[in-house]
Amino acid sequence: MKRKWNKAAKATAAIAISTSMLFPLASSHQAAFSNVHNVLAAETQSVDSAYLQEAFKKAAKEFGVPENILLSVSYNMTRWEQHNGKPSTSGGYGVMHLTQMDGASADEKGLEEAHSFTPSPNLDQHMLDEAAKLINQDPEALKKDALQNIRGAAALLAKYAKESMGSVPKKEADWYGAVAKYSGSNEEAAATDFADQVYATIQKGMDRHTPEGQDVQLKPENIAGNRASAEKFHFHKSTKDPRAEVPNGVDSQFIPAFYQQLSDNPGNYTNYDVGDRPKLGGDIRYIVIHDTETEYQPTINLFSRPYGASAHYVLRSSDGQITQMIQNKDVAWHAGNWYFNMHSIGVEHEGYAAQGADWYSEQMYHASAKLVRYLAEKYDIPMDRAHIFGHNEVPGLTPSSQHGMHWDPGPFWDWDHYFELMGAPVTPAHGSKRAVTFKPHFETNKQVVDVNDGNIREHSTNFVYLYQEPSFDAPTIVDPAMSAARPDEAANWGNKAEAAQTFALADSKGDWDAIWYGGQKAWFYNPHNKNTVPGNVQTLITPKEGKDAIPVYGSAWPEASAYPSDVVPKSIFPLQYTIEAGQVYAAEEKVNGDYYNAKVFTLDPYGVHKMVYGKEEYYRIHFNHRFAFVKAEDVDVVKR
């Protein structure tokens, strides 16, 4: 069914999209549990933690592949995770991510309209079958048995090495070409970038305790790859599109998002607004991380037609390819909040919030980290969680919209790992003792989460649950906007504190600490500070002396007197919360209200669109799971 989108719906366009479309919405199911911690008893199994390390050693010796090469290839594909034999989004199996993938139709993924999906000609998507033949095993064995998976990959690497060098290389540097080929990409930028990552990991070294209980170590060695060994594969050399704002050395393309006037009415257009940021349209302060809730090509297809939503970038899970669709000077309709649209760049990642472990590939993490670091440096955006955050942290503009705000990239996006890849680990140099920054260890931070697959169980997650009292027997806190959501529901953002979010401490009892969160005291289990580090915050605020409570807002619009006569002032609505006297919150920045008035289709924003700057000052604070704003005149700054 053809949709007609008008500008009145633009600010909240993404909110209106159903759960079967691009972004996940919060559930409205009635709460069914009062005690998340005891929904599922943790099961412990006896695991030989050295099994995987020994498997790498055996396979390396059998096929003549340097063990450090084999280990590093696996780490950069899966971080040594088996994923219980389940495929990734790109059809990769096991710790070596051997691919086996056929074409599919996007209507199988819940879209209202089918979009044809054809495996990319630039990807080798049948590595598993070839590897199985090389070691005379059934392909199913390579999917489920880690040793056979590693053996198959080692045989494949040895085959590639012979093709590039004529025989199995004796020097580790000469395996560079084989590693590039193993990336699965025929694009030179993507293939050599993967090989560079593999050799960089060898130089740095790595050790990890995996979610499956395996202890794996790669000792550091000063080895550089021989790039000439990749020449025989004749990788395709793409010419960088001059419109693409991406770092050098990444596989990228530019496909323009739809932008047209749809009728004689200049206010009837879609999917974004033209600007000239940061000169006109708002300065770029934030980068918002999304997931697509469908596959890569269907996402590009959606943004390429009249749709009512868009993003600046889309990343592919299989190899991290970057498609830019809107220039950063323009304002994409991605956050469901016009204030954040004005000031941000939106980055979509192929995947599903409730299935993050399967979709958020290491290749995509690497490519996204490179892109975001490039953007942060270009636009002088601090590389921290106050400025690089998820769609799930963007507030609604009104109380009614707060409930429907999206929750991607969800509880399975590994923020710690992501920022480590950016070179900005979540470890404040001078943290405040009056605040905490959450830092649960993703792999070992097991929480019971219902992902609506019929199997309520523990998952490695990026959050900790928040309780009404310092006890697992107490109910989790309830956010007024999420009162109907079940406490263990993945989409229920109202009772979770996420990795690298910062809050002011409110209390402490034994192994439990409390924070001020969403207008209430929220308790979390924190023995020996296992889930936190000192708060990474410069300013703490509290209601001004003499005020019993103050409102919070979802935007920082200018005061009415700041608007010119031909621009209708924006109304600012208090959200369904208040901050009572004595409560303290971490403030990330103090800003003057501003607003980009962009109401009609135009190819040149100057003289058509207008930027309004006010004198009213606001603090942006970590309020609950989402940010909020308070007026500076309503608060006092307290010592940190």
Side-chain angles (χ1 to χ4, degrees), residues 336-572:
N337 178 317
W338 183 244
Y339 182 86
F340 281 87
N341 283 347
M342 284 167 41
H343 291 295
S344 67
I345 292 170
V347 183
E348 291 279 357
H349 298 79
E350 182 184 19
Y352 294 80
Q355 303 168 19
D358 297 330
W359 285 84
Y360 302 149
S361 70
E362 194 63 13
Q363 298 94 314
M364 187 164 67
Y365 271 125
H366 275 273
S368 181
K370 282 188 175 183
L371 172 64
V372 169
R373 183 180 181 89
Y374 163 83
L375 294 172
E377 291 175 347
K378 181 175 181 178
Y379 296 105
D380 198 24
I381 300 171
M383 282 193 289
D384 58 36
R385 284 280 278 116
H387 298 85
I388 300 167
F389 48 80
H391 196 182
N392 58 322
E393 293 165 88
V394 176
L397 287 169
T398 64
S400 61
S401 66
Q402 183 79 342
H403 165 77
M405 294 300 288
H406 302 146
W407 55 281
D408 55 306
F412 309 120
W413 181 267
D414 191 345
W415 287 106
D416 264 359
H417 179 52
Y418 189 48
F419 274 85
E420 286 171 358
L421 291 174
M422 277 187 257
V426 183
T427 306
H430 304 289
S432 169
K433 293 181 179 180
R434 296 196 60 178
V436 291
T437 294
F438 282 87
K439 191 178 170 61
H441 191 266
F442 186 86
E443 288 82 12
T444 58
N445 181 46
K446 303 286 187 178
Q447 303 287 357
V448 176
V449 185
D450 183 0
V451 296
N452 295 318
D453 64 354
N455 182 17
I456 299 175
R457 62 194 184 280
E458 288 185 332
H459 301 262
S460 293
T461 67
N462 62 20
F463 72 89
V464 299
Y465 279 113
L466 300 173
Y467 295 83
Q468 296 180 25
E469 298 292 340
S471 168
F472 287 122
D473 292 326
T476 61
I477 64 169
V478 178
D479 187 285
M482 300 296 293
S483 58
R486 298 189 311 275
D488 62 347
E489 194 175 345
N492 181 4
W493 49 264
N495 61 356
K496 300 174 176 68
E498 203 169 73
Q501 291 180 332
T502 299
F503 298 93
L505 280 168
D507 205 346
S508 183
K509 288 184 181 179
D511 288 338
W512 291 76
D513 288 327
I515 55 174
W516 293 116
Y517 181 98
Q520 57 188 306
K521 185 183 287 188
W523 291 90
F524 64 98
Y525 188 58
N526 195 32
H528 308 293
N529 298 315
K530 67 173 288 188
N531 290 315
T532 61
V533 293
N536 185 18
V537 64
Q538 298 301 316
T539 304
L540 296 171
I541 59 94
T542 191
K544 188 175 286 292
E545 186 175 356
K547 288 183 177 287
D548 294 330
I550 62 171
V552 299
Y553 306 93
S555 63
W557 300 136
E559 66 279 7
S561 61
Y563 291 81
S565 59
D566 58 344
V567 176
V568 177
K570 291 289 291 182
S571 298
I572 183 165

Side-chain angles (χ1 to χ4, degrees), residues 65-122:
V65 182
E67 186 177 347
N68 55 2
I69 295 288
L70 197 57
L71 280 164
S72 189
V73 166
S74 175
Y75 180 83
N76 281 279
M77 281 290 184
T78 68
R79 300 179 76 202
W80 300 321
E81 293 181 24
Q82 179 72 5
H83 292 300
N84 298 317
K86 295 188 299 181
S88 71
T89 54
S90 49
Y93 288 88
V95 293
M96 300 304 300
H97 200 260
L98 291 168
T99 53
Q100 183 190 63
M101 189 172 183
D102 297 316
S105 174
D107 60 349
E108 298 170 3
K109 300 299 182 181
L111 290 176
E112 292 177 355
E113 303 174 39
H115 296 270
S116 61
F117 172 72
T118 304
S120 169
N122 293 324

Side-chain angles (χ1 to χ4, degrees), residues 47-61:
V47 176
D48 178 4
S49 62
Y51 172 80
L52 202 58
Q53 186 89 53
E54 188 62 26
F56 280 112
K57 183 180 294 185
K58 289 179 179 178
K61 183 177 181 180

Side-chain angles (χ1 to χ4, degrees), residues 259-261 269 272-276 327 329-330 596 600-606 608-609:
Y259 181 68
Q260 290 183 26
Q261 186 171 318
Y269 68 99
Y272 63 92
D273 277 294
V274 171
D276 190 21
Q327 291 184 307
K329 69 179 183 65
D330 298 326
Y596 185 45
V600 297
F601 176 85
T602 182
L603 298 177
D604 183 358
Y606 288 98
V608 180
H609 299 339

